[in-house]
Amino acid sequence: MSDARMLGEELTGWTPPPRPAFDALEGQWTRLERLSADTHAASLFRAYSGYDALWDYMPNGPFSSATQYHRWAREAEASADPLHFAIQNQETGRWGGTCALLRIAPEAGSVELGYIALAPELQRTRTSTEAFLLLIEWAFEAGYRRFEWKCNALNMPSRRAAQRLGLSYEGTFRQAQVVKGRNRDTAWFAAIDSEWPALREAYRAWLRPENFDEEGRQRERLGDLTSLVRAASDPAL
């Protein structure tokens, strides 16, 4: 019997990427800015107001007043991990959502996208999708090896969004957390750097202005463009 040891691939020439240090990213329809309570909180609270279900799967919220949300935003803006961003629809000028980079681990080349809270006006829009694409692009172009997305396994819209972006389903961690007094099973998705060139081409094709009609509806779906890149699909979808 051979006693040869099985070892992982040696990462010759790889160096840990930088931590995110940018204040803003901008696309065709979207602007991301580091979350600022004084700049964004009032507009975000108005966009979220009346939609408490947005917070069902989140560790934070719902918020009963603008003051309470401002207080949370003040704490969030001081955090380096999670690193929170506000999302602006550049066509309307309104701030309608937030998201964050978290579990930022340059030593492993890994980063996660989470804390996604989208007001109804940004849900299932090219604005919110482009916000996620901007962050995925930043991570891989900066040298990260792995981009993660994790969500409550009951959160089917989040699972669909992850797969649509071309992130591969990697399994469900049972009883992973207790959130707001309830059990949370966590579904894991990720893309790795070897998949990035193909994902980048899919993103560029989807983002072409001619891929959208006069009402902003996509002609070719992002999920169709990324389907060949995914190493595994979510069996729940």
Side-chain angles (χ1 to χ4, degrees), residues 32-185:
L32 284 164
E33 285 186 6
R34 285 283 304 274
L35 180 64
S36 162
D38 291 342
T39 302
H40 306 120
S43 297
L44 288 168
F45 181 76
R46 285 195 297 271
Y48 294 144
S49 185
Y51 301 100
D52 284 358
L54 293 173
W55 312 102
D56 282 355
Y57 301 116
M58 300 282 282
N60 54 307
F63 300 93
S64 60
S65 67
T67 299
Q68 187 183 42
Y69 184 75
H70 189 280
R71 187 181 305 116
W72 175 85
R74 178 71 71 195
E75 295 172 356
E77 75 171 276
S79 169
D81 189 348
L83 186 64
H84 293 269
F85 297 91
I87 304 170
Q88 183 186 47
N89 180 337
Q90 294 212 90
E91 295 178 293
T92 65
R94 292 195 293 269
W95 299 96
T98 57
C99 61
L101 293 175
L102 65 153
R103 296 186 177 88
I104 304 164
E107 68 281 1
S110 176
V111 64
E112 180 182 341
L113 175 60
Y115 281 90
I116 297 167
L118 301 176
E121 65 185 85
L122 281 193
Q123 293 174 11
R124 296 191 295 269
T125 67
R126 60 186 180 184
T127 298
S128 57
T129 299
E130 188 180 36
F132 306 150
L133 301 186
L134 287 169
L135 290 170
I136 295 171
E137 179 181 34
W138 175 84
F140 283 123
E141 294 296 328
Y144 282 81
R145 306 172 58 236
R146 176 177 170 83
F147 192 93
E148 298 180 335
W149 177 300
K150 305 185 187 86
C151 63
N152 189 309
L154 298 175
N155 189 347
M156 301 310 292
S158 186
R159 294 176 74 152
R160 284 192 291 269
Q163 182 158 289
R164 180 170 168 261
L165 294 168
L167 308 185
S168 298
Y169 175 71
E170 295 187 333
T172 296
F173 284 49
R174 298 173 300 163
Q175 296 185 186
Q177 292 177 283
V178 176
V179 179
K180 297 176 180 174
R182 295 180 182 273
N183 175 66
R184 168 172 153 154
D185 295 348

